[in-house]
């Protein structure tokens, strides 16, 4: 799976690449991405504009202005609404260890129930990064394996998690669940060739692909980035 999240504009803006979304989305589609993840308003606009069937509606939101709640995602859409807006799948986010983690768990459970009724796949974006995060002494993944397990247990069909830093620990993440595990791209920076090398390690360790945003939509030539990622993930 090669998914490009472009939901960042609700969290903070300006964001490089999101100021020219028409051309960037066209480039990503041209390059051969499997999916593009956006908030519902963006899904409506671009699904109509492009006629493409690969849009995923992200239902979780927070902004940089939320103070201590800036990482507390709230549910702002439903699977049925996403379907009516042109999305073929939905995604939601949980930040493990956040003060409002319980509500995020409830929201994800609600989303997977709605999607089950609609027959839509769900991507869980689960990050172990809140101030209350507890990592067990024997967990070499730093909580990432638990993050993957949370998505699986709540009914997600695939999960996006951070890269753990090496193939040995990432293999433990993939072994924790029977659903596809995708790695996030993290902040933009560095050489894209280094990112490609990480993707190779992740795939060799059992990963199913990437859910990578800024490093693609913020690039000068998003289609070229997609083609390089496709070569690793799909072999074509």
């Amino acid at each position: 799976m090669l998914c490009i999240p472009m939901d960042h504009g609700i969290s903070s803006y300006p964001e490089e690449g999101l100021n020219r979304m028409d051309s960037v989305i066209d480039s990503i589609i041209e390059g051969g991405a499997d999916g593009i993840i956006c908030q519902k308003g963006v899904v409506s606009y671009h699904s109509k504009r492009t006629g493409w069937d690969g849009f995923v509606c992200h239902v979780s939101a927070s902004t940089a202005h939320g103070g201590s709640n800036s990482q507390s995602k709230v549910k702002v859409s439903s699977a049925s609404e996403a379907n009516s807006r042109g999305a073929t799948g939905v995604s939601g986010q949980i930040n493990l260890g956040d003060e409002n983690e319980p509500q995020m768990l409830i929201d994800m459970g609600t989303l997977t129930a709605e999607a089950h009724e609609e027959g839509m796949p769900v991507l869980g974006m689960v990050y172990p990064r809140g101030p209350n995060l507890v990592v067990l002494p024997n967990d070499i993944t730093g909580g990432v394996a638990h993050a993957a397990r949370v998505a699986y247990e709540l009914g997600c069909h695939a999960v996006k998690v951070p890269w753990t830093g090496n193939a040995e620990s990432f293999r433990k993440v993939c072994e924790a669940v029977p659903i596809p595990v995708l790695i996030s791209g993290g902040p933009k920076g560095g050489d894209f060739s280094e990112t490609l090398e990480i993707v190779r390690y992740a795939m060799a360790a059992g990963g199913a692909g990437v859910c990578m945003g800024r490093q693609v939509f913020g690039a000068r030539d998003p289609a070229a980035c997609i083609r390089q990622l496709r070569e690793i993930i799909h072999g074509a």
Side-chain angles (χ1 to χ4, degrees):
M1 300 175 69
L2 202 177
C3 296
I4 309 302
M6 297 184 69
D7 58 291
H8 305 64
I10 201 164
S11 300
S12 64
Y13 191 86
E15 183 79 54
E16 177 61 33
L18 299 188
N19 57 332
R20 46 189 175 90
M21 283 190 77
D22 286 17
S23 62
V24 170
I25 283 179
D26 291 346
S27 183
I28 290 170
I29 294 172
E30 176 199 342
D34 299 314
I36 298 175
I37 302 167
C38 303
Q39 292 285 343
K40 60 184 180 181
V42 182
V43 169
S44 287
Y45 175 79
H46 286 286
S47 64
K48 290 177 182 176
R49 185 184 69 81
T50 65
W52 192 58
D53 65 356
F55 287 101
V56 175
C57 183
H58 193 54
V59 309
S60 299
S62 68
T63 80
H65 314 293
S68 61
N69 290 318
S70 63
Q71 292 298 313
S72 298
K73 303 297 179 178
V74 296
K75 186 172 180 289
V76 294
S77 186
S78 66
S80 60
E81 182 187 10
N83 194 9
S84 70
R85 287 176 177 271
T88 56
V90 289
S91 66
Q93 183 171 332
I94 298 171
N95 292 326
L96 293 183
D98 186 87
E99 292 289 344
N100 292 306
E101 177 195 297
Q103 185 59 51
M104 285 183 266
L105 293 171
I106 291 170
D107 287 348
M108 184 69 84
T110 302
L111 178 64
T112 54
E114 294 168 349
H116 182 69
E117 292 296 318
E118 293 287 329
M120 299 178 79
V122 182
L123 170 68
M125 301 185 185
V126 189
Y127 303 99
R129 63 187 184 192
N132 297 324
L133 183 70
V134 176
V135 178
L136 299 178
N138 63 342
D139 182 5
I140 65 171
T141 73
V144 178
H146 188 199
R149 190 77 195 189
V150 166
Y152 166 55
E153 299 268 358
L154 287 175
C156 296
H157 299 86
V159 61
K160 171 189 177 182
V161 293
W163 169 241
T164 56
N166 58 71
E168 178 188 4
S169 56
F170 193 69
R171 187 172 290 109
K172 295 290 185 183
V173 176
C174 298
E175 290 171 349
V177 294
I179 60 175
V181 178
L182 312 178
I183 61 167
S184 61
K188 188 175 185 296
D191 195 307
F192 193 65
S193 62
E194 297 174 4
T195 298
L196 296 175
E197 192 65 17
I198 290 173
V199 176
R200 291 187 185 94
Y201 286 135
M203 295 295 292
V210 302
C211 189
M212 185 175 293
R214 293 179 179 90
Q215 298 200 39
V216 174
F217 70 68
R220 180 174 299 178
D221 186 352
C225 295
I226 295 291
R227 285 191 285 268
Q228 291 177 82
L229 289 166
R230 274 195 65 89
E231 180 63 33
I232 299 169
I233 296 166
H234 293 304

